[in-house]
Amino acid sequence: GQNIDQPTEMTATEGAIVQINCTYQTSGFNGLFWYQQHAGEAPTFLSYNVLDGLEEKGRFSSFLSRSKGYSYLLLKELQMKDSASYLCAVRLNTGKLIFGQGTTLQVKP
Amino acid sequence: DAMVIQNPRYQVTQFGKPVTLSCSQTLNHNVMYWYQQKSSQAPKLLFHYYDKDFNNEADTPDNFQSRRPNTSFCFLDIRSPGLGDAAMYLCATSRDAGNGYTFGSGTRLTVV
């Protein structure tokens, strides 16, 4: 079976740094995606990792360790608009994308 | 701008009354996906089309059907909606099966 785990909720302060972890156990692996989803809206692409290491994209960075089945999304200089759900998704060798349940991040002033 | 468009944005239907949700894309992507997302849950893949080939997930209820008349359009038909089918339905596309997805804005379905 496929299993992707993320914390359900996190809270952080405006201007701070927050790390959202994701662990996965899947039958096959062909990349890991992070999506941002505001309430009532569709997911939007944030980052993609297929090799081990850190990918940086402005205020957002994502890390992958395939041997540990682990990824994290790092958000720097938090803004109020970053309050959203963050979905970790694993792409299987078939191309299918399997999602975690998402982490709801609340940014407080 | 090239994009994935879902209509309508909000749909209310009666219990047991067939309903169709639509998705169109201008990206010329050959793969189209339908996901169901219930409140505070992960999006769950219902089925996908690879070109004209239909691929159903094993646990997708028979109540859900899909049609893809051409590359640009894909429809989700719910034959007899139940209260448990109330959810956000997300359409996504990709170029081949090994690339990133582009999502539509979703259709939020309410069953009354």
Side-chain angles (χ1 to χ4, degrees):
Chain A
Q2 326 291 358
N3 196 42
I4 301 175
D5 284 321
Q6 307 177 232
T8 305
E9 295 178 344
M10 298 184 73
T11 302
T13 305
E14 192 176 15
I17 299 173
V18 71
Q19 178 175 312
I20 303 174
N21 295 323
C22 171
T23 58
Y24 63 90
Q25 291 174 305
T26 57
S27 54
F29 176 87
N30 192 17
L32 188 142
F33 292 78
W34 283 95
Y35 284 85
Q36 181 191 60
Q37 188 177 27
H38 284 100
E41 297 183 11
T44 56
F45 171 79
L46 286 179
S47 70
Y48 167 65
N49 296 72
V50 66
L51 300 176
D52 291 350
L54 188 69
E55 293 285 339
E56 297 188 80
K57 209 174 183 182
R59 294 190 299 116
F60 296 82
S61 304
S62 57
F63 172 83
L64 174 67
S65 169
R66 288 172 296 171
S67 62
K68 295 181 179 177
Y70 168 70
S71 173
Y72 67 72
L73 178 69
L74 195 70
L75 292 79
K76 303 175 187 175
E77 301 169 16
L78 279 174
Q79 302 175 8
M80 298 300 291
K81 68 178 182 180
D82 297 330
S83 293
S85 183
Y86 291 85
L87 299 166
C88 172
V90 170
R91 184 172 62 198
L92 305 181
N93 293 332
T94 57
K96 285 186 200 176
L97 210 56
I98 306 295
F99 285 87
Q101 68 176 44
T103 299
T104 300
L105 173 67
Q106 185 179 14
V107 180
K108 295 186 173 179
Chain B
D1 288 341
M3 57 178 60
V4 181
I5 302 167
Q6 290 188 245
N7 283 309
R9 189 77 186 267
Y10 301 93
Q11 174 76 56
V12 180
T13 191
Q14 291 180 333
F15 182 95
K17 183 176 181 180
V19 65
T20 295
L21 310 181
S22 74
C23 177
S24 64
Q25 53 125 342
T26 59
L27 298 160
N28 203 31
H29 284 172
N30 59 330
V31 192
M32 294 187 78
Y33 307 83
W34 279 105
Y35 281 83
Q36 179 194 62
Q37 186 179 25
K38 296 187 177 180
S39 182
S40 302
Q41 295 185 21
K44 178 180 176 298
L45 183 64
L46 295 174
F47 24 59
H48 74 278
Y49 275 93
Y50 193 113
D51 295 317
K52 291 187 176 182
D53 293 334
F54 176 70
N55 297 273
N56 200 30
E57 293 301 296
D59 57 354
T60 298
D62 292 340
N63 198 24
F64 291 84
Q65 304 285 321
S66 185
R67 297 170 283 135
R68 189 179 186 187
N70 53 52
T71 301
S72 301
F73 285 87
C74 195
F75 300 98
L76 170 61
D77 301 309
I78 309 176
R79 293 193 293 189
S80 182
L83 297 179
D85 297 328
M88 170 79 89
Y89 289 88
L90 296 165
C91 173
T93 71
S94 70
R95 187 181 307 282
D96 295 322
N99 294 297
Y101 287 23
T102 301
F103 281 90
S105 56
T107 294
R108 180 164 296 282
L109 179 69
T110 301
V111 181
V112 298

